[in-house]
Amino acid sequence: MPDRTTDELRQQFGTISRISLVLGAAGSLAALFWGLKAVCGVWAGLFMCLTGLAMIQTWAVRGTFTKMSGFKSYAGRYIFYGLVIAACLWLGVPVLSLVAGIALQKAALVIYPLLGKEDVDGPRYD
């Protein structure tokens, strides 16, 4: 039987992903003004952060919390971010569009609890 916490994390990730995609669509429409590379930058930043969030979720679900596992998870995530950013720079993607995609995904993290699905202290059980 699946753990209740695991199911809650998956539901949260799904909702946050949907909010991120909606914000990403709006951001990419605005980025069209600066060209296709700017649109690609918005989506690259957004998906980079969603992948990082999935890495955090995977680590949290595993439940093996040691200093070394935390360090490896943290370091691996930031190495991944560095590789994505380096690839975008190499391809000529505007840095501000990448930052915009990152900001849109972070905005989804702020919007999620405002939808009333969560209290500050955790999920609501009505």
Side-chain angles (χ1 to χ4, degrees):
M1 186 155 106
D3 184 17
R4 183 176 181 174
T5 305
T6 304
D7 289 339
E8 288 173 1
L9 282 173
R10 285 191 181 124
Q11 288 175 351
Q12 287 176 351
F13 183 75
T15 304
I16 290 168
S17 297
R18 286 188 292 278
I19 296 168
S20 297
L21 292 174
V22 169
L23 293 175
S28 63
L29 285 175
L32 271 174
F33 181 74
W34 288 277
L36 191 57
K37 283 190 177 184
V39 173
C40 291
V42 168
W43 288 107
L46 189 110
F47 283 119
M48 178 182 71
C49 287
L50 281 176
T51 303
L53 187 62
M55 290 175 174
I56 293 169
Q57 177 190 11
T58 302
W59 181 69
V61 167
R62 257 189 276 142
T64 54
F65 301 110
T66 64
K67 280 186 179 180
M68 188 50 77
S69 70
F71 174 76
K72 286 180 182 177
S73 174
Y74 185 82
R77 202 169 60 252
Y78 280 92
I79 288 169
F80 168 72
Y81 293 162
L83 291 173
V84 170
I85 292 168
C88 287
L89 290 174
W90 184 70
L91 293 170
V93 173
V95 175
L96 287 178
S97 66
L98 192 63
V99 172
I102 293 168
L104 289 170
Q105 199 283 320
K106 299 308 175 190
L109 292 174
V110 172
I111 291 170
Y112 176 72
L114 296 176
L115 294 175
K117 296 185 183 290
E118 281 221 3
D119 279 332
V120 174
D121 297 327
R124 290 184 182 164
Y125 299 107
D126 294 331

